[in-house]
């Protein structure tokens, strides 16, 4: 199996690149952000539990996120591989993912981290806000999400670096160039 983590701060372009990658590598895309938004839209129990946290720009607790993620993997028993987008966002999530994949006889092949500076992120999300209608794209909530990233999520990078699985790619430039650079890294995993 080819199991990839696409890593990066809010607005780094994970969703855009994931769409292209699933097509090229025939992978199942699991975005925890998209899954949460679907739960909120469908007003499920889980959606009700997490909606205020998400609207406020905070991370959802690990236990809830990990359980949802594992269920999603189990829904795709014939997948050739997965691309994880927006997960793991904490070291506890990364450890849980490794454990779970091991239990089903597979592992993370590699992690691509998209590198984008904070000024560019703020600019991109302000643009996205015009069409996204996401409450968490409001400026104050966005600052909180970026803070969550730099406080909690960034520690996931050394976790994978120690395993020799981390590749950094410049996330600024045109979409196809970034895509080609990501693909090169994946082909070397
Ligand atoms: P972004 O566009 O900021 O990268 P996502 O669409 O991936 O955001 O996620 C939106 C929100 O959903 C996050 O701000 C957080 O509240 C919640 N969320 C998504 N993935 C996770 C996760 N792995 N752990 C905890 N919370 C998560």
């Amino acid at each position: 199996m080819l199991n990839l983590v696409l890593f990066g701060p809010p607005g780094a372009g994970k969703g855009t690149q994931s769409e292209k990658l699933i097509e090229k590598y025939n992978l199942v895309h699991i975005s925890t952000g998209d899954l949460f938004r679907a739960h909120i839209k469908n007003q499920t129990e889980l959606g009700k539990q997490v909606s205020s946290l998400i609207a406020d720009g905070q991370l959802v607790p690990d236990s809830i996120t990990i359980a949802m993620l594992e269920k999603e993997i189990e829904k795709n028993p014939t997948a050739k591989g997965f691309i994880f987008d927006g997960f793991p966002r904490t070291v506890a999530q990364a450890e849980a993912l490794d454990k779970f994949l091991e239990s089903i006889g597979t592992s993370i092949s590699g992690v691509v981290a998209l590198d984008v500076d904070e000024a560019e992120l703020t600019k991109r999300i302000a643009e996205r806000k015009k069409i996204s209608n996401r409450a968490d794209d409001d400026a104050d909530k966005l600052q909180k999400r970026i803070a969550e990233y730099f406080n909690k999520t960034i520690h996931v990078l050394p976790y994978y670096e120690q395993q020799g699985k981390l590749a950094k790619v410049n996330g600024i430039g045109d979409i196809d160039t970034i895509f080609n650079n990501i693909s090169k890294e994946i082909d070397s995993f």
Side-chain angles (χ1 to χ4, degrees):
M1 278 179 104
L2 180 66
N3 296 311
L4 305 172
V5 173
L6 194 54
F7 190 89
K14 301 186 292 289
T16 307
Q17 295 296 336
S18 289
E19 270 176 42
K20 296 170 76 72
L21 290 168
I22 50 172
E23 205 172 308
K24 175 162 181 183
Y25 293 97
N26 212 346
L27 304 171
V28 172
H29 180 210
I30 301 187
S31 157
T32 44
D34 287 350
L35 290 172
F36 283 133
R37 280 186 288 276
H39 276 284
I40 293 168
K41 191 167 165 237
N42 297 325
Q43 299 183 323
T44 66
E45 267 317 302
L46 177 65
K48 286 176 200 162
Q49 246 177 310
V50 302
S51 68
S52 58
L53 281 175
I54 290 183
D56 190 46
Q58 297 179 51
L59 290 187
V60 173
D62 285 337
S63 55
I64 296 178
T65 309
I66 291 164
M68 179 181 74
L69 189 276
E70 292 181 353
K71 220 189 254 168
E72 203 59 28
I73 295 175
E74 283 171 338
K75 279 187 197 159
N76 294 280
T78 60
K80 287 186 165 180
F82 293 94
I83 178 157
F84 300 105
D85 162 1
F87 185 98
R89 261 177 156 96
T90 63
V91 173
Q93 290 180 14
E95 288 169 347
L97 180 61
D98 275 350
K99 238 194 207 160
F100 186 74
L101 291 178
E102 197 186 336
S103 78
I104 59 168
T106 188
S107 60
I108 290 295
S109 315
V111 177
V112 174
L114 288 172
D115 223 353
V116 179
D117 62 67
E118 210 172 318
E120 172 76 13
L121 297 175
T122 311
K123 198 175 88 189
R124 285 185 188 179
I125 295 183
E127 272 305 305
R128 182 171 79 184
K129 173 70 188 158
K130 293 180 190 161
I131 48 167
S132 78
N133 233 339
R134 276 177 55 170
D136 64 343
D137 280 347
D138 284 346
D140 56 328
K141 303 302 180 330
L142 171 62
Q143 282 319 314
K144 220 179 238 180
R145 279 157 59 208
I146 293 178
E148 288 280 67
Y149 177 80
F150 286 106
N151 288 329
K152 296 176 185 161
T153 305
I154 200 109
H155 306 299
V156 172
L157 286 176
Y159 177 84
Y160 287 118
E161 198 161 31
Q162 278 157 19
Q163 298 185 13
K165 289 184 177 175
L166 181 68
K168 288 185 188 160
V169 170
N170 181 4
I172 300 184
D174 73 77
I175 291 173
D176 288 328
T177 307
I178 298 167
F179 177 65
N180 287 335
N181 290 335
I182 295 174
S183 299
K184 268 186 223 150
E185 294 294 345
I186 292 174
D187 295 338
S188 74
F189 285 156

